Amino acid sequence: MAKKFFKGLKKIAALTMVSMLLAGGLAGCAGSSEAPAADKAETSTEAPASTETAKKAETRLEKIKEAGVLQVIMEPYFAPYEFIDSSKSGQDQYMGADVELAKYIADEIGVELEIVPLEWTAVLTGISTGKYDMAISGMGYTVERAEAMNLSDSYRDTDSKHGFVVKTDTVDTFTSLDSFTGKRMGFQKGTLQEMYATAQIKDMQPQPFDSVQNAILALQSGKVEAVAVSYDNGELFCEANADLSMATPLFEGTEDHTVVACPKGSDDLTSIVNEAIAKVNEEQLYAQWWDEATSAAKELGVSQ
C-alpha cells in the first residue's frame, strides 16, 4: 500500500515537472511573437521614416499629384465666371473666366483638370467637408467662409456692384433701396446677394432659390418682385430677356475679393494656388479671360 502511495507521488511530481516545462515553453512561444530587444530597436528606428512618408502622401497636394487630376467644383450657371456651351459635351462644355483660371492652376501643378458641376450650396459644403480639391466659382471672401475653408489671395478685386433685376414695366418704381421695403425678394441661397439683401432691405419677404436662373423665372412669372444679383450676371439676364431690366439702386459697401477655396488645412495646395494667382494678376490674365468670357456668353445667350 505504501509502495503504491509513493509511486503515485512520483507520478504526480513527474506530471508537475512536465507541466512546468510546458508552461515555460509556452511562455517562450508567447515571447517569441514579439521582436527581441535588438529587433524592437531596429523596428522603432524605421517607423518614423515610414510614418513621415505616409503623412507626406496624405497631404492634399500630394494626393492630387499622385492621382494626376485636380477636381475643381463650380456652379456653371454664373456667367461670365462660368457657364456651359450646350453645343459641346464633357469637359469641353465648360467655359468662363474661372474655367480658364482652373486650367492655369492645374497646369501649374502639372496635372489634368476635371470640372465637377454642382449647385452653389453643394459647392460650399463640398469644400468645407473636404470632399473635393478646390472650388473656383466666383466666390467672394467672407469671414464665415474663411473659418470653414482655406481661402486664397484675391484674383479679382473690384468695387463690384450688386443690385436687382426687376420686370421692365416696374423698373421706374424702384428708385432707392427703400423702394424694396416689404417686397418679395428672390436670391440664390448661400450667396453674397442673400447677405446684402438680408442686411439692407427692410421687412423683406425673402424667397431663396437654388439658382439665379430659378429666381429669374420666378420674377418673370410674378412670384417675386425683384431678384438680388451680381450686377455683371444680372446684366446678361437683362440683355437676353427684354422683359427684364436692372434697377437703378445698388447695394451699399460691396467691395469684393474673389477667391479660390480649398479644404481647411490644405496649406500646401493653397500655397501653390496663391503662386499661380500672383502670376495671373501680374500678367493681368484674368481681365483678359473675363472680357473673352463676357463676349462668348452674350453670343451664346447663356442667361436665357
Side-chain angles (χ1 to χ4, degrees):
M1 189 74 180
K3 288 181 179 180
K4 289 182 179 181
F5 176 74
F6 285 116
K7 285 182 179 180
L9 286 177
K10 288 180 180 179
K11 288 182 179 180
I12 292 171
L15 289 171
T16 301
M17 182 64 70
V18 170
S19 297
M20 289 175 66
L21 289 171
L22 285 173
L26 289 174
C29 290
S32 66
S33 67
E34 298 181 7
D39 291 343
K40 285 182 181 179
E42 289 175 6
T43 302
S44 65
T45 57
E46 293 176 3
S50 59
T51 302
E52 183 61 31
T53 302
K55 286 181 179 178
K56 185 178 180 182
E58 288 174 359
T59 68
R60 197 83 194 195
L61 182 58
E62 286 299 322
K63 284 184 177 182
I64 291 167
K65 288 181 177 180
E66 288 173 7
V69 177
L70 172 67
Q71 279 194 324
V72 173
I73 55 177
M74 60 177 60
E75 183 201 32
Y77 310 107
F78 191 47
Y81 287 96
E82 46 266 333
F83 53 95
I84 289 176
D85 181 349
S86 58
S87 69
K88 299 178 181 178
S89 61
Q91 291 293 303
D92 292 336
Q93 68 185 310
Y94 302 114
M95 301 182 66
D98 278 359
V99 175
E100 296 304 313
L101 176 61
K103 291 177 180 177
Y104 190 96
I105 292 172
D107 286 343
E108 288 291 296
I109 298 174
V111 295
E112 296 295 319
L113 171 66
E114 180 186 357
I115 300 293
V116 180
L118 297 174
E119 292 184 352
W120 175 245
T121 52
V123 169
L124 295 176
T125 57
I127 290 300
S128 60
T129 59
K131 184 176 181 180
Y132 297 98
D133 298 325
M134 194 176 296
I136 306 179
S137 194
M139 184 181 295
Y141 176 91
T142 68
V143 173
E144 292 76 16
R145 289 171 184 169
E147 291 174 350
M149 55 192 82
N150 276 22
L151 298 182
S152 73
D153 297 335
S154 175
Y155 60 86
R156 188 169 188 258
D157 285 329
T158 59
D159 291 328
S160 63
K161 298 183 290 185
H162 297 265
F164 309 87
V165 175
V166 298
K167 295 290 291 293
T168 299
D169 58 8
T170 67
V171 68
D172 292 338
T173 65
F174 297 106
T175 58
S176 67
L177 288 178
D178 288 339
S179 303
F180 295 99
T181 298
K183 301 298 183 183
R184 298 190 307 277
M185 181 67 64
F187 50 78
Q188 185 178 23
K189 57 187 176 183
T191 60
L192 293 177
Q193 292 77 44
E194 177 182 9
M195 180 179 71
Y196 294 141
T198 302
Q200 299 185 32
I201 304 301
K202 300 175 184 176
D203 302 321
M204 176 185 67
Q205 297 182 48
Q207 303 291 319
F209 293 88
D210 59 355
S211 69
V212 179
Q213 283 78 1
N214 286 337
I216 293 294
L217 289 173
L219 172 64
Q220 291 176 310
S221 64
K223 294 179 181 177
V224 298
E225 296 163 275
V227 177
V229 294
S230 165
Y231 202 92
D232 296 311
N233 187 228
E235 278 189 316
L236 290 174
F237 280 106
C238 295
E239 289 181 13
N241 299 274
D243 61 330
L244 301 178
S245 295
M246 292 299 301
T248 302
L250 299 173
F251 287 112
E252 299 171 351
T254 60
E255 180 180 345
D256 283 354
H257 304 285
T258 312
V259 295
V260 173
C262 302
K264 196 69 174 177
S266 55
D267 297 341
D268 55 347
L269 180 58
T270 308
S271 178
I272 201 168
V273 169
N274 283 336
E275 290 173 8
I277 288 174
K279 295 177 183 178
V280 167
N281 289 343
E282 183 179 355
E283 298 175 30
Q284 299 183 338
L285 292 175
Y286 196 83
Q288 176 185 326
W289 297 333
W290 181 270
D291 291 341
E292 292 170 352
T294 300
S295 297
K298 288 179 180 178
E299 290 178 8
L300 291 171
V302 295
S303 298
Q304 294 183 23

